[in-house]
Amino acid sequence: MEPRLVGPGPYRATRLWNETIELFRAGMPRGRRRSRLRTHERCFRASEAVAWLHELLRGNQNFGPEVTRGQTVQLLKKFLKNHVIEDVKGRWGQEDFRDDGRLYRFPPSSPLKPYPKRPSYGKEVIKFPGWNEPGAGTSQERTPVKPTVMNSEMWYKRHSIAIGEVPACRLVYRQKLTQTNIEQIWKSMMLSHLQKVLGLDSLDEVLDTQLVNPKHILHNVYNISKQGIVILEDKSKELPHWVLSAMKCLANWPTCSDLKQPTYTGFERDVFKTIADYYGQMKEPLLTFHLFDVFVSVLGLLHKNKKAIEAFQVSCLLLPPENRKKLQLLVRMMARISLNKDLPPLSDTTSTRTLMVQAFSHCILCSKDEVDLDELLAAKLVMFLMDNYDEILNIPSSLQISIEEHVGHLRRVQIKYAGADTDATFLAPSFCHQISTDEFEYQRANGSQEPLAALLEEIAMNKEISIKDKKKKLKQFQKSYPEVYKERFPTSETEAVLFPEKSKQKSQLLMWALKKPFQPFQRTRSFRM
């Protein structure tokens, strides 16, 4: 099996987990190993598993070459906890995995993680203000207008009125937009844009839209400083002054002007540890738990840099303002520290960039479910944030302009002519734009093949149906979707693994018939002339 790119969509973390397990089980070399005067078959040493899986993850485009050996050890600990592997005595769960010479093996069956059945959040119906009669005191009756014949000069002065008679008309006022209406419009158009960037049919599988607070979106867009940093109304949610001073000290090293820096050796490391300890004690990551699946889906677009940045921009606007501000300050500090050649090393064994990822990835992104690949996914996300923080943490200007124009359009007074359907002309922007042929083919293929691949996997791993029915279903699937089938079962050997071999003994009658010597055909007398 070859690693494949797992694109955005529901259950991406689960799909990555299952694929990593399958690749590990299919490719990890096993053999005879000796330990404590005993020989064990079809097993491997812990250090061998770490080395092999580390190379697999580094070469997998879903994770990348910056995966460390330590992260690989942590993943193998989760594999042991969830019975993906076991020691040669069959122990797992409570055992501790270490990068040493202890022997491990695979259990008979592969414990793939089932796709969770999430409750249907349901689509939120957002009511937009409709046409309505104005309040008392405003006359809005249909007043007939005397027909007049217009010349060309008058036509140029009065736009959108055809030459000829002026039809009867009336002013139609929009219902006054409340703050709640405006917030709901922003929320609806933001989520609609995010859905289209991710290429999903719905956000229901990756996000509970009812948990998205539209007040947070508007605050993150409009309450910002000249540097683009969020300004908080509640000062109690600000970073403590001593943490902010420590971050400024390292970010502007060695030209920090507001601190009298001590000169003792190791001062920089002490300051860094202070910052890491503060962010490490948070109970919830900055990219909150309920947005975990959204950001994991965005990671599936990293091979398309501009699309990923656009999706990150919108997703980060859904954060609470205090989270967004802490994220902005933290990522900006991390990026500056990583590029600052004048700053002394903060670790004797780890590069500064890797240290930033190890220290802060867990407080930026993690899931409630400890068996997910949250550590590897968080590391990849943090590295992308550090490399593109100037763009990601800015406001998507084109989207902001589109929403503001739509809100302004709804507020304007309209002229309605007799027989005209005014509401039909006020449709929300659809954000459609032309894409290349290659991008269209990619979206078409990934949008349809990933659910089909999940269906095929469910058929293949279903132990409740008989072998005969399973073969019949697989044959029908192969006939309908040969490309998806070939990707999962590239050779006949991979298909044969699903079905246990049965020894086929030839019947005694057939064996007896084959043992008879061959008798040539002879004419009988009845054929003679």
Side-chain angles (χ1 to χ4, degrees), residues 394-460:
N394 282 340
I395 311 298
S397 57
S398 59
L399 178 59
Q400 180 182 354
I401 293 172
S402 297
I403 299 176
E404 288 174 347
E405 288 180 349
H406 181 63
V407 173
H409 178 76
L410 293 175
R411 282 174 164 166
R412 286 195 291 269
V413 175
Q414 307 296 328
I415 298 177
K416 184 175 181 180
Y417 296 99
D421 186 6
T422 311
D423 286 342
T425 62
F426 294 94
L427 299 177
S430 61
F431 303 105
C432 294
H433 59 277
Q434 188 174 1
I435 60 176
S436 63
T437 304
D438 294 339
E439 187 173 3
F440 170 77
E441 291 298 328
Y442 171 81
Q443 292 180 4
R444 182 181 63 82
N446 284 324
S448 59
Q449 288 191 3
E450 288 182 4
L452 292 174
L455 175 61
L456 177 60
E457 191 67 25
E458 183 178 356
I459 296 174

Side-chain angles (χ1 to χ4, degrees), residues 70 79 102 111 147 173 214 236 315 321 334 372 407 425 451 462:
F79 280 178
R102 280 185 279 189
Y173 293 85
S236 64
S315 302
M334 294 166 60
D372 281 329
V407 173
T425 62
N462 193 340

Side-chain angles (χ1 to χ4, degrees), residues 12 29 55 84 169 180 198 299 407 458 472 488 499:
R12 185 173 186 269
E55 288 302 314
V84 177
C169 63
T180 302
L198 293 177
L299 286 174
V407 173
E458 183 178 356
K472 183 179 179 180
R488 176 62 176 85
F499 308 106

Side-chain angles (χ1 to χ4, degrees), residues 84-155:
V84 177
I85 59 175
E86 61 185 17
D87 69 5
V88 290
K89 294 183 180 180
R91 295 174 299 188
W92 59 278
Q94 301 300 324
E95 302 298 316
D96 187 24
F97 184 91
R98 298 178 182 177
D99 190 356
D100 55 20
R102 280 185 279 189
L103 299 181
Y104 292 90
R105 67 189 182 190
F106 291 117
S109 61
S110 176
L112 296 180
K113 188 176 178 183
Y115 293 104
K117 294 183 179 179
R118 298 182 182 175
S120 179
Y121 299 127
K123 295 184 178 180
E124 213 175 343
V125 179
I126 299 177
K127 295 182 179 179
F128 291 93
W131 295 105
N132 198 2
E133 297 295 329
T138 305
S139 176
Q140 193 173 325
E141 297 180 356
R142 294 195 178 190
T143 305
V145 180
K146 182 180 179 180
T148 59
V149 179
M150 300 179 64
N151 55 32
S152 59
E153 183 178 356
M154 293 178 63
W155 186 86

